[in-house]
Coordinates of all heavy atoms in Angstrom, one line a residue:
L146 N -47.8 36.3 -13.4 CA -48.0 35.4 -12.3 C -46.9 34.3 -12.3 O -46.4 33.9 -13.3 CB -49.4 34.7 -12.4 CG -50.6 35.6 -12.5 CD1 -51.9 34.7 -12.5 CD2 -50.7 36.6 -11.4
S147 N -46.5 33.9 -11.1 CA -45.6 32.8 -10.9 C -46.2 31.7 -10.1 O -47.0 31.9 -9.2 CB -44.3 33.3 -10.2 OG -43.7 34.3 -11.0
C148 N -45.7 30.5 -10.3 CA -46.2 29.3 -9.6 C -44.9 28.5 -9.3 O -44.3 27.9 -10.2 CB -47.2 28.5 -10.3 SG -47.7 27.0 -9.5
A149 N -44.6 28.5 -8.0 CA -43.4 27.7 -7.6 C -43.8 26.3 -7.1 O -44.7 26.2 -6.3 CB -42.6 28.4 -6.5
A150 N -43.1 25.3 -7.6 CA -43.5 23.9 -7.3 C -42.4 23.3 -6.4 O -41.2 23.6 -6.5 CB -43.6 23.1 -8.5
S151 N -42.8 22.4 -5.5 CA -41.9 21.7 -4.6 C -42.5 20.3 -4.3 O -43.7 20.1 -4.5 CB -41.6 22.5 -3.3 OG -42.8 22.6 -2.6
G152 N -41.6 19.4 -3.9 CA -42.1 18.1 -3.4 C -42.1 17.1 -4.5 O -42.6 16.0 -4.2
G153 N -41.8 17.4 -5.7 CA -41.8 16.4 -6.8 C -40.7 16.7 -7.8 O -39.9 17.6 -7.6
T154 N -40.7 16.0 -8.9 CA -39.8 16.3 -10.0 C -40.6 17.2 -11.0 O -41.4 16.6 -11.8 CB -39.3 15.0 -10.7 OG1 -38.7 14.2 -9.6 CG2 -38.3 15.4 -11.8
F155 N -40.3 18.4 -11.0 CA -41.1 19.4 -11.8 C -41.2 19.1 -13.2 O -42.2 19.2 -13.9 CB -40.6 20.8 -11.5 CG -41.3 21.9 -12.2 CD1 -42.6 22.2 -11.8 CD2 -40.8 22.7 -13.2 CE1 -43.3 23.3 -12.3 CE2 -41.4 23.7 -13.7 CZ -42.7 24.0 -13.3
S156 N -40.1 18.6 -13.8 CA -40.1 18.3 -15.2 C -40.9 17.1 -15.6 O -41.0 16.8 -16.8 CB -38.6 18.2 -15.7 OG -38.0 17.1 -15.0
N157 N -41.4 16.4 -14.6 CA -42.3 15.3 -14.9 C -43.8 15.7 -15.2 O -44.6 14.9 -15.6 CB -42.4 14.3 -13.8 CG -41.1 13.4 -13.8 OD1 -40.4 13.4 -14.7 ND2 -40.9 12.8 -12.7
N158 N -44.1 17.0 -14.9 CA -45.4 17.5 -15.0 C -45.7 18.5 -16.0 O -45.0 19.5 -16.1 CB -45.8 18.1 -13.6 CG -45.6 17.2 -12.4 OD1 -44.6 17.4 -11.7 ND2 -46.4 16.2 -12.3
A159 N -46.8 18.2 -16.8 CA -47.4 19.3 -17.6 C -48.1 20.2 -16.5 O -48.5 19.8 -15.5 CB -48.4 18.8 -18.6
M160 N -48.2 21.5 -16.9 CA -48.7 22.5 -15.9 C -49.8 23.3 -16.6 O -49.8 23.5 -17.8 CB -47.6 23.4 -15.4 CG -46.4 22.8 -14.7 SD -46.9 22.1 -13.2 CE -47.4 23.5 -12.2
G161 N -50.8 23.7 -15.7 CA -51.9 24.5 -16.3 C -52.2 25.7 -15.4 O -51.8 25.7 -14.2
W162 N -52.8 26.7 -15.9 CA -53.4 27.8 -15.2 C -54.9 27.8 -15.4 O -55.4 27.6 -16.6 CB -52.8 29.1 -15.7 CG -51.4 29.4 -15.2 CD1 -50.3 29.2 -15.9 CD2 -51.1 30.0 -14.0 NE1 -49.2 29.6 -15.2 CE2 -49.7 30.1 -14.0 CE3 -51.8 30.4 -12.8 CZ2 -48.9 30.6 -12.9 CZ3 -51.1 31.0 -11.8 CH2 -49.7 31.1 -11.8
F163 N -55.6 28.0 -14.4 CA -57.1 28.1 -14.4 C -57.5 29.4 -13.6 O -56.7 29.9 -12.9 CB -57.8 26.9 -13.7 CG -57.6 25.6 -14.5 CD1 -56.5 24.9 -14.6 CD2 -58.7 25.1 -15.2 CE1 -56.3 23.8 -15.3 CE2 -58.6 24.0 -16.0 CZ -57.4 23.3 -16.0
R164 N -58.7 29.8 -13.8 CA -59.2 30.9 -13.0 C -60.6 30.8 -12.7 O -61.4 30.0 -13.3 CB -59.0 32.2 -13.8 CG -59.8 32.3 -15.1 CD -59.5 33.6 -15.9 NE -60.3 33.7 -17.1 CZ -60.0 34.7 -18.0 NH1 -59.0 35.5 -17.9 NH2 -60.8 34.8 -19.1
Q165 N -61.0 31.5 -11.6 CA -62.4 31.4 -11.2 C -62.9 32.8 -10.7 O -62.3 33.3 -9.8 CB -62.6 30.4 -10.0 CG -64.0 30.1 -9.6 CD -64.2 28.9 -8.8 OE1 -63.2 28.4 -8.2 NE2 -65.4 28.4 -8.7
A166 N -63.9 33.3 -11.4 CA -64.5 34.6 -11.0 C -65.6 34.3 -10.1 O -66.2 33.2 -10.0 CB -65.0 35.3 -12.3
P167 N -66.0 35.3 -9.3 CA -67.1 35.1 -8.3 C -68.4 34.7 -9.0 O -68.8 35.3 -10.0 CB -67.2 36.5 -7.7 CG -65.9 37.2 -7.9 CD -65.4 36.6 -9.1
G168 N -69.0 33.6 -8.5 CA -70.2 33.1 -9.0 C -70.1 32.3 -10.3 O -71.1 32.0 -10.9
K169 N -68.9 32.1 -10.7 CA -68.7 31.3 -11.9 C -67.9 30.1 -11.7 O -67.2 30.0 -10.7 CB -68.0 32.2 -13.0 CG -68.8 33.4 -13.4 CD -68.1 34.1 -14.6 CE -68.9 35.2 -15.1 NZ -68.3 35.9 -16.3
E170 N -67.9 29.2 -12.6 CA -67.1 27.9 -12.5 C -65.7 28.2 -12.8 O -65.3 29.2 -13.5 CB -67.7 26.9 -13.4 CG -69.1 26.4 -13.0 CD -69.5 25.2 -13.9 OE1 -68.8 24.9 -14.9 OE2 -70.6 24.6 -13.6
R171 N -64.8 27.3 -12.3 CA -63.4 27.4 -12.7 C -63.2 27.2 -14.2 O -63.8 26.2 -14.7 CB -62.6 26.5 -11.8 CG -61.1 26.6 -11.9 CD -60.4 25.8 -10.9 NE -60.7 26.1 -9.6 CZ -60.1 25.7 -8.5 NH1 -59.1 24.8 -8.6 NH2 -60.5 26.0 -7.3
E172 N -62.4 28.0 -14.8 CA -62.2 27.8 -16.3 C -60.7 27.7 -16.6 O -59.9 28.3 -15.9 CB -62.9 29.0 -17.0 CG -62.3 30.3 -16.8 CD -62.9 31.4 -17.8 OE1 -63.7 31.0 -18.6 OE2 -62.4 32.5 -17.7
F173 N -60.5 27.0 -17.7 CA -59.1 26.8 -18.2 C -58.6 28.1 -18.8 O -59.3 28.9 -19.4 CB -59.1 25.8 -19.2 CG -57.9 25.6 -20.0 CD1 -56.8 25.0 -19.4 CD2 -57.8 26.1 -21.3 CE1 -55.6 24.9 -20.1 CE2 -56.6 25.9 -22.0 CZ -55.5 25.3 -21.5
V174 N -57.3 28.4 -18.5 CA -56.6 29.6 -19.1 C -55.5 29.1 -20.1 O -55.5 29.5 -21.3 CB -56.1 30.5 -18.0 CG1 -55.3 31.6 -18.6 CG2 -57.1 31.0 -17.1
A175 N -54.6 28.3 -19.6 CA -53.5 27.9 -20.4 C -52.8 26.7 -19.9 O -52.9 26.4 -18.7 CB -52.4 29.1 -20.5
A176 N -52.1 26.0 -20.7 CA -51.3 24.8 -20.3 C -50.0 24.7 -21.0 O -49.9 25.2 -22.2 CB -52.1 23.5 -20.4
I177 N -49.0 24.0 -20.4 CA -47.7 23.9 -21.1 C -47.2 22.5 -20.8 O -47.4 21.9 -19.7 CB -46.8 25.0 -20.5 CG1 -45.5 25.0 -21.3 CG2 -46.5 24.8 -19.0 CD1 -44.7 26.3 -21.0
N178 N -46.5 21.9 -21.7 CA -46.0 20.5 -21.5 C -44.7 20.6 -20.7 O -44.3 21.6 -20.3 CB -45.8 19.8 -22.8 CG -44.6 20.2 -23.6 OD1 -44.2 21.3 -23.5 ND2 -44.0 19.3 -24.3
W179 N -44.1 19.4 -20.5 CA -43.1 19.3 -19.5 C -41.8 20.1 -19.8 O -41.2 20.6 -18.9 CB -42.7 17.8 -19.3 CG -41.9 17.3 -20.5 CD1 -42.5 16.8 -21.7 CD2 -40.5 17.2 -20.7 NE1 -41.5 16.4 -22.6 CE2 -40.3 16.6 -22.0 CE3 -39.4 17.5 -19.9 CZ2 -39.0 16.4 -22.4 CZ3 -38.2 17.2 -20.4 CH2 -38.0 16.7 -21.6
N180 N -41.5 20.4 -21.1 CA -40.3 21.1 -21.4 C -40.6 22.4 -22.1 O -39.7 23.1 -22.6 CB -39.4 20.2 -22.3 CG -40.1 20.0 -23.7 OD1 -41.2 20.4 -23.9 ND2 -39.4 19.3 -24.6
G181 N -41.9 22.8 -22.1 CA -42.2 24.1 -22.7 C -42.4 24.2 -24.2 O -42.7 25.3 -24.7
A182 N -42.2 23.1 -24.8 CA -42.3 23.1 -26.3 C -43.7 23.2 -26.8 O -43.9 23.5 -28.0 CB -41.6 21.8 -26.8
S183 N -44.6 22.8 -26.0 CA -46.0 22.8 -26.4 C -46.9 23.6 -25.5 O -46.8 23.4 -24.3 CB -46.5 21.4 -26.5 OG -47.9 21.3 -26.9

């Protein structure tokens, strides 16, 4: 999966992936800090 960002300074943001299956709550999948080190 890819996620393209616009409208801000991308390197200022930690980023996350979440998912939601039918009938279930949204759940956390993964996160990454601003430079990818964490």
Side-chain angles (χ1 to χ4, degrees):
L146 305 183
S147 299
C148 172
S151 61
T154 303
F155 184 65
S156 59
N157 284 344
N158 304 105
M160 299 294 295
W162 285 97
F163 289 76
R164 66 187 182 187
Q165 187 166 19
K169 294 188 177 182
E170 293 187 353
R171 189 170 298 188
E172 65 172 1
F173 170 74
V174 175
I177 189 166
N178 77 329
W179 70 279
N180 67 355
S183 179

